[in-house]
Amino acid sequence: MNILLIGSGGREDAIARKINEKDTLYSVLLNENPSIIRMSHKYMFYERNNDEKIVEFAKKNNIDIAFIGPDDILNTGLNDTLLNNHIPTASPSRSAARIETSKEYMRYIMNKYNIAGNVPNFIFTDADEAKSFIKENNKEYAIKPIGLTGGKGVMVMGTQLKDKKDAMEYAEYIIKKDGKVLLEEKQNGEEFSLQAFTDGKTVVYAPIAQDYKRLYENDLGPNTGGMGSITDKDFSLPFIRTDQKKKAMKILSDIVNALREEGNPFSGVIYGQFMVNENSLKVIEINSRFADPEGINILTLLKTNIVDIFLDIYSKTLKNDIKFDSMATTLKYIVPFGYGINPVETELLIENNIETDSLKLYYASVSGTMNRVKTTHSRSLALIGIAKSIYEASDIVEQSIHKISGNYYMRHDIGSREMVERKIKNL
Ligand code: AMP
Ligand code: GLY
């Protein structure tokens, strides 16, 4: 079959490799990703506001089904344009993707359908009202723009916002910029991501993953798109109880059901970002795609043919028989030095034969060749170890990094024994 993939980050390299196992890959790229280019039978470059060109490309190449990776492209209506032109897709409509692209819509659905795991949430359009709300309440809040911000727009009191004054200023800044701000009561605990495939009715879950969003080791510094991620052999994580995992699964399927009841059915990949502690499990965010990096962990473990899954999503015949390898994974992103603050574009050299059965290397926002890449300001290369435990998978990554050279930064603590043990202790 001819499969069209839109997107060219690390997550899309992982999707492309699954497609390439059996079928013919056609791709729409945002950067000259050498790994995706190498696998593609044909490719074109993405142009904003020119979806007709993609339709033309798809028709000319007899595309059987398309899949869109990035959130910002799900927010353009490309998926609807493809469907209107009789090109099947396994991605959500622009309207259903609002579960991610509008945090206001996500809370509206959770409020209306009384879905478990909701947090008290408040929308303000008036800066003075938002400011007095923050001033007069004795609670801390996460202050959020409504729309997409590449993982970098949310500021939390006591973390990135040091006092009420900071919080009031940030809320005012967002209202001035966007006309609206969302305040959510601050939650505490460990975060995890539960990704799933859905055809709008049946929901099939992937292993639970944890993303390391903070830039520096020991979870310090600003939030990023994600510096790395882990999954464990039993498809859960050592600090999550079975009842909590089940609760998260139920919440995700309640959201899929609510969207269907709302007349806005969701098909594609959906994931919940949850926060757990001893006593509670809360929804932090719902996203309408594979996570990046956590999507790479589960795609690396996926045993079922991805194109079969795509076709089942499109034809609404998804079955609960998607299989994953029962192994742990630890992923660490290599990013240009200064990433997230003042990134310096650079070149990275990669030795031949770096990949083994237990180590995979995915190419993200880079161009060049498989051995010499030029970075952008974004994440460059994802190294993922596969082993019986998270720590061994982490060690596999550490043992292979000498094969990559250049002026890069990476968090070494992700998946380390010390970090995982600390998280178990915290909970
Ligand atoms: P988001 O972009 O919504 O995923 O938020 C980015 C990060 O902000 C999350 O990964 C959390 O660490 C933090 N965050 C978001 N919402 C809350 C909340 N209600 N309470 C505490 N932290 C939050
Ligand atoms: N890793 C978080 C995200 O994909 O948004």
Side-chain angles (χ1 to χ4, degrees):
M1 289 214 185
N2 296 336
I3 315 300
L4 182 66
L5 174 66
I6 295 108
S8 48
R11 164 184 54 203
E12 287 77 23
D13 187 11
I15 301 168
R17 292 198 206 187
K18 297 316 274 187
I19 294 171
N20 197 42
E21 283 175 4
K22 278 208 183 120
D23 296 277
T24 306
L25 175 70
Y26 290 79
S27 45
V28 180
L29 307 171
L30 287 89
N31 52 289
E32 290 176 53
N33 184 312
S35 176
I36 301 181
I37 288 179
R38 187 179 62 150
M39 289 181 280
S40 299
H41 187 64
K42 283 192 188 143
Y43 63 89
M44 61 170 280
F45 287 98
Y46 182 75
E47 285 170 33
R48 209 157 268 285
N49 304 321
N50 199 353
D51 291 353
E52 293 315 311
K53 229 173 141 177
I54 300 176
V55 169
E56 212 176 281
F57 181 73
K59 285 192 169 160
K60 203 168 130 203
N61 293 298
N62 299 312
I63 292 301
D64 293 293
I65 193 158
F67 187 82
I68 300 172
D71 40 345
D72 53 341
I73 299 185
L74 288 168
N75 197 23
T76 64
L78 172 62
N79 188 72
D80 308 71
T81 306
L82 290 169
L83 289 173
N84 289 338
N85 282 280
H86 313 291
I87 298 149
T89 76
S91 294
S93 66
R94 184 184 193 183
S95 174
R98 277 186 297 155
I99 200 69
E100 166 166 13
T101 58
S102 165
K103 293 186 182 15
E104 183 178 19
Y105 184 67
M106 187 276 267
R107 290 298 170 196
Y108 160 80
I109 292 288
M110 290 198 74
N111 298 341
K112 176 169 173 188
Y113 291 85
N114 209 2
I115 294 173
N118 202 2
V119 302
N121 53 89
F122 312 89
I123 297 270
F124 291 95
T125 51
D126 182 290
D128 289 335
E129 280 177 28
K131 280 159 55 182
S132 45
F133 182 85
I134 293 168
K135 197 170 176 183
E136 283 154 25
N137 273 288
N138 264 336
K139 294 211 160 89
E140 288 188 304
Y141 297 93
I143 301 182
K144 306 187 169 191
I146 305 294
L148 297 174
T149 57
K152 291 150 201 144
V154 173
M155 301 277 176
V156 183
M157 291 171 69
T159 310
Q160 295 90 359
L161 302 166
K162 67 176 187 309
D163 53 25
K164 283 195 176 190
K165 186 169 159 283
D166 266 10
M168 285 154 67
E169 276 172 16
Y170 190 56
E172 180 168 36
Y173 163 78
I174 295 175
I175 291 179
K176 281 205 177 126
K177 192 160 65 75
D178 304 338
K180 231 182 229 182
V181 70
L182 169 65
L183 267 58
E184 291 178 2
E185 269 184 24
K186 179 180 173 176
Q187 308 299 314
N188 292 299
E190 277 299 320
E191 284 180 71
F192 68 84
S193 307
L194 176 61
Q195 302 169 85
F197 297 97
T198 182
D199 59 2
K201 200 167 175 189
T202 303
V203 182
V204 189
Y205 305 92
I208 285 186
Q210 187 171 47
D211 176 22
Y212 291 79
K213 285 183 193 295
R214 306 290 285 277
L215 181 59
Y216 303 126
E217 305 212 335
N218 298 313
D219 292 330
L220 298 172
N223 276 329
T224 67
M227 297 298 296
S229 45
I230 58 172
T231 62
D232 206 358
K233 196 161 89 270
D234 63 359
F235 301 164
S236 186
L237 287 172
F239 38 85
I240 297 168
R241 296 195 309 259
T242 308
D243 62 298
Q244 292 172 326
K245 177 177 176 178
K246 285 199 177 133
K247 194 170 169 197
M249 289 161 74
K250 167 90 169 41
I251 291 172
L252 211 47
S253 99
D254 284 350
I255 287 172
V256 168
N257 289 334
L259 286 169
R260 197 177 63 249
E261 259 180 62
E262 197 68 13
N264 191 20
F266 185 102
S267 45
V269 175
I270 190 163
Y271 84 90
Q273 215 176 290
F274 297 89
M275 197 175 274
V276 268
N277 59 40
E278 271 285 301
N279 314 309
S280 82
L281 180 139
K282 300 289 182 192
V283 175
I284 296 296
E285 209 174 69
I286 301 292
N287 293 325
S288 55
R289 55 186 167 84
F290 285 112
D292 190 350
E294 310 96 291
I296 303 178
N297 300 70
I298 63 161
L299 285 157
T300 301
L301 296 171
L302 181 65
K303 286 210 283 205
T304 305
N305 180 260
I306 200 168
V307 173
D308 290 341
I309 300 174
F310 287 169
L311 294 169
D312 283 345
I313 288 173
Y314 174 70
S315 59
K316 305 204 172 7
T317 52
L318 194 67
K319 290 165 285 298
N320 205 346
D321 62 357
I322 297 176
K323 301 267 187 305
F324 295 89
D325 271 323
S326 172
M327 295 293 277
T329 60
T330 294
L331 181 154
K332 307 189 195 198
Y333 252 122
I334 286 178
V335 299
F337 194 79
Y339 171 70
I341 295 170
N342 189 13
V344 185
E345 286 180 15
T346 185
E347 271 196 353
L348 301 171
L349 300 178
I350 304 146
E351 283 183 22
N352 279 331
N353 309 324
I354 184 168
E355 289 200 329
T356 64
D357 284 346
S358 58
L359 194 273
K360 302 290 163 209
L361 173 68
Y362 295 98
Y363 290 66
S365 285
V366 292
S367 58
T369 66
M370 295 299 280
N371 295 109
R372 178 189 283 266
V373 297
K374 195 169 171 334
T375 75
T376 61
H377 288 179
S378 296
R379 296 174 294 187
S380 313
L381 299 168
L383 274 168
I384 181 168
I386 306 147
K388 290 223 162 62
S389 72
I390 295 167
Y391 341 109
E392 287 166 274
S394 167
D395 289 344
I396 289 170
V397 171
E398 293 300 322
Q399 285 150 15
S400 61
I401 48 178
H402 69 273
K403 295 188 175 167
I404 299 178
S405 51
N407 191 23
Y408 66 77
Y409 171 73
M410 172 196 235
R411 265 184 71 172
H412 295 287
D413 63 336
I414 296 168
S416 69
R417 185 183 283 268
E418 193 194 344
M419 165 167 261
V420 176
E421 279 171 0
R422 192 171 63 235
K423 286 184 186 290
I424 297 172
K425 217 171 114 207
N426 283 350
L427 282 190

